[in-house]
Amino acid sequence: LTGVLDDCLCDIESIDDFNTFKIFPKIQKLQERDYFRYYKVNLKRPCPFWADDGHCSIKDCHVEPCPESKIPVGIKAGSSNKYSKAANNSKELEDCEQANKLGAVNSTLSNQSKEAFIDWARYDDSQDHFCELDDERSPDAQYVDLLLNPERYTGYKGPSAWRVWNSIYEENCFKPRSVYRPLNPLAPSRGGSSLLWSVCLFSWTGLCLEKRVFYKLISGLHASINLHLCANYLLEETWGKPRWGPNVKEFTRRFNPTETKGEGPRRLKNLYFLYLIELRALSKVAPYFERSVVDLYTGNGHEDAESKALLLDIFRDTKSFHMHFDEKSMFAGDKKGAKSLKEEFRLHFKNISRIMDCVGCDKCRLWGKLQTQGLGTALKILFSEKEIQSLPENSPSKGFQLTRQEIVALVNAFGRLSTSIRELQNFKVLLQQTR
């Protein structure tokens, strides 16, 4: 892979160097911090689109939830969109005041009216979101230690996995014209795979920039996930001691031009494009975290300070990159048409986030939900530039907020992309050695 990417002025070599020498080492360290390693997720939400196929019984599909005793006190006790120690300590008082206010207003309302007001509030809150968010208060929502449940090949494949990607591409993704996708999980393949692409013939004629971008984001996410599986593949399991590592044959099957009818390199270019989009979001959201009110609070003051310093250091690097994607070129037409297209864009992506509840493998579902939420958070940031620029320094903003879940997903999703590009360099070396 060489040269300039489509729809932007950035070349692949610049991204490789920037990621390898600046971003990758730092984002790896940040993901190991307590604030970012614990992610609360509901893996029991039913699939909203078709009858559940049942969960995968393969042992590597299992996710081990984290015991409550292991979760830092500041994370499990804190409000979802408050970060400082003071904010967490004042939560009881705020809850009491809020209850009194609601009581004063709602004392003459029926239960049905109260529920309607709650639904309206949730609807208003959801208008800025590009993802279907889990209810963190659900008894089925559990904390997961991401470091102990790494994303890797699990053996999950077949009709259930095929249906998920088919639904994403065929029903919820803006597609190029003349796309041919004979997605058939029963078709013979060498080794089989849960996340294979079908043959795809592209013709971008008549497809606007925004819809091309959307398609590339989904394709890039797909490419990244496949790279993780190839790089962390179960190579052998002897006497109960599995050996995980890069599988060059699997990588070739998924990305080699000959094996993919020329589509493999395009998929990898879409990975780089997705990296640029999330990199741009990180550079744009920096002012939100530079405020003193944001502490990344876990209860350990020393670690919290180090985590924030490392995060701000990464933001400085992202802002120093000289070939960012220009999101201002999107939705720049007439106001009415642009607003309609943006809403269509948001709803398509939100639907994709809901499809992640249809993934039968718990580990695949966990990382699918996290990475789609991370990308959804990046899109929310890119479309909230004015709100971010007008943030108050010493108090939370009603105009733009990120929950802890969104912050954790944003950092870890970008960390996955950074890892994918790093693993791609490793595969280049391995392929040269096998020639």
Side-chain angles (χ1 to χ4, degrees):
L1 289 178
T2 58
V4 177
L5 297 171
D6 296 334
D7 290 323
C8 56
L9 299 175
C10 186
D11 62 274
I12 287 171
E13 292 82 0
S14 295
I15 297 175
D16 284 340
D17 288 345
F18 177 75
N19 184 66
T20 299
F21 298 110
K22 282 200 170 183
I23 290 295
F24 180 72
K26 294 176 183 178
I27 202 79
Q28 289 289 104
K29 288 182 181 178
L30 190 65
Q31 288 174 278
E32 294 171 359
R33 296 281 175 177
D34 280 354
Y35 189 88
F36 296 100
R37 68 183 288 182
Y38 297 107
Y39 181 65
K40 197 168 190 181
V41 62
N42 183 356
L43 298 175
K44 297 180 180 179
R45 280 177 56 160
C47 173
F49 299 107
W50 56 77
D52 200 346
D53 295 316
H55 281 238
C56 178
S57 59
I58 302 170
K59 65 181 179 66
D60 290 316
C61 285
H62 177 65
V63 169
E64 190 65 44
C66 195
E68 281 285 320
S69 58
K70 297 283 187 181
I71 307 298
V73 62
I75 291 177
K76 64 184 177 183
S79 177
S80 63
N81 61 350
K82 292 186 174 65
Y83 315 100
S84 68
K85 183 176 180 179
N88 279 274
N89 288 345
S90 64
K91 184 175 183 298
E92 273 188 52
L93 179 61
E94 289 180 2
D95 287 348
C96 183
E97 290 175 353
Q98 184 68 9
N100 288 336
K101 290 177 184 176
L102 289 174
V105 173
N106 288 344
S107 58
T108 59
L109 299 177
S110 67
N111 288 332
Q112 185 177 3
S113 297
K114 292 177 187 177
E115 289 174 6
F117 281 130
I118 293 171
D119 286 341
W120 292 342
R122 285 176 182 160
Y123 176 81
D124 289 340
D125 290 341
S126 73
Q127 294 312 288
D128 290 332
H129 291 127
F130 284 75
C131 279
E132 187 77 18
L133 304 180
D134 282 348
D135 182 0
E136 294 182 53
R137 297 166 297 180
S138 167
D140 290 328
Q142 294 178 298
Y143 282 103
V144 172
D145 186 337
L146 298 174
L147 298 183
L148 297 182
N149 294 275
E151 184 181 23
R152 59 191 181 191
Y153 181 77
T154 65
Y156 173 62
K157 57 189 177 183
S160 175
W162 161 77
R163 181 188 271 180
V164 169
W165 282 110
N166 185 58
S167 181
I168 288 173
Y169 279 116
E170 295 300 311
E171 300 171 31
N172 295 281
C173 192
F174 300 109
K175 297 180 298 182
R177 293 181 181 179
S178 305
V179 175
Y180 176 54
R181 293 187 173 279
L183 292 173
N184 183 355
L186 303 179
S189 64
R190 286 165 285 180
S193 167
S194 63
L195 298 170
L196 282 176
W197 291 271
S198 59
V199 176
C200 179
L201 304 177
F202 286 85
S203 173
W204 292 109
T205 306
L207 207 62
C208 67
L209 170 65
E210 292 82 2
K211 293 184 179 181
R212 291 201 304 272
V213 165
F214 191 97
Y215 187 87
K216 288 180 180 181
L217 296 182
I218 303 307
S219 175
L221 178 61
H222 198 174
S224 181
I225 290 172
N226 275 276
L227 258 169
H228 303 154
L229 305 187
C230 294
N232 210 354
Y233 202 91
L234 181 59
L235 301 176
E236 62 177 345
E237 188 168 12
T238 55
W239 303 102
K241 293 184 178 180
R243 184 169 70 89
W244 302 85
N247 187 325
V248 176
K249 185 177 180 181
E250 188 69 20
F251 173 83
T252 301
R253 188 164 67 87
R254 295 173 189 252
F255 296 106
N256 184 278
T258 304
E259 297 274 344
T260 61
K261 299 189 187 299
E263 283 303 314
R266 191 194 301 271
R267 297 166 186 164
L268 293 174
K269 283 188 175 183
N270 290 339
L271 161 65
Y272 280 88
F273 186 82
L274 174 59
Y275 180 93
L276 278 182
I277 291 289
E278 295 201 13
L279 181 72
R280 180 65 162 173
L282 288 177
S283 71
K284 288 287 185 181
V285 82
Y288 183 83
F289 290 92
E290 289 166 353
R291 299 175 303 154
S292 58
V293 72
V294 178
D295 284 342
L296 304 181
Y297 179 67
T298 68
N300 183 330
H302 179 69
E303 174 159 320
D304 295 349
E306 287 189 344
S307 296
K308 183 168 181 180
L310 181 55
L311 181 63
L312 295 182
D313 189 27
I314 291 172
F315 286 145
R316 281 190 289 273
D317 285 338
T318 64
K319 287 192 281 190
S320 73
F321 188 68
H322 60 287
M323 288 185 283
H324 276 290
F325 175 78
D326 182 11
E327 74 284 355
K328 290 187 176 67
S329 59
M330 295 174 61
F331 309 108
D334 67 278
K335 288 187 177 181
K336 186 176 180 181
K339 185 177 180 181
S340 174
L341 184 58
K342 178 181 175 181
E343 182 62 9
E344 189 180 3
F345 196 97
R346 187 181 72 84
L347 292 177
H348 271 271
F349 193 83
K350 197 164 188 176
N351 223 30
I352 288 173
S353 74
R354 297 176 70 204
I355 293 173
M356 291 301 155
D357 284 318
C358 300
V359 177
C361 163
D362 277 352
K363 190 165 287 181
C364 307
R365 182 184 288 209
L366 163 67
W367 286 101
K369 286 168 75 79
L370 181 143
Q371 288 172 89
T372 51
Q373 185 177 13
L375 176 51
T377 303
L379 294 173
K380 171 181 172 179
I381 292 166
L382 290 179
F383 295 126
S384 303
E385 183 175 12
K386 290 181 180 178
E387 291 83 354
I388 294 172
Q389 289 176 344
S390 60
L391 287 168
E393 169 59 32
N394 296 313
S395 63
S397 165
K398 292 182 179 180
F400 179 85
Q401 282 281 5
L402 290 178
T403 67
R404 180 184 169 275
Q405 288 296 94
E406 288 175 309
I407 296 169
V408 173
L410 177 70
V411 167
N412 278 281
F414 184 69
R416 293 278 74 204
L417 298 178
S418 178
T419 299
S420 292
I421 289 177
R422 190 69 189 90
E423 294 290 0
L424 186 54
Q425 312 313 307
N426 294 338
F427 275 115
K428 287 179 182 178
V429 174
L430 292 172
L431 285 167
Q432 289 173 349
Q433 292 173 352
T434 58
R435 286 172 185 167

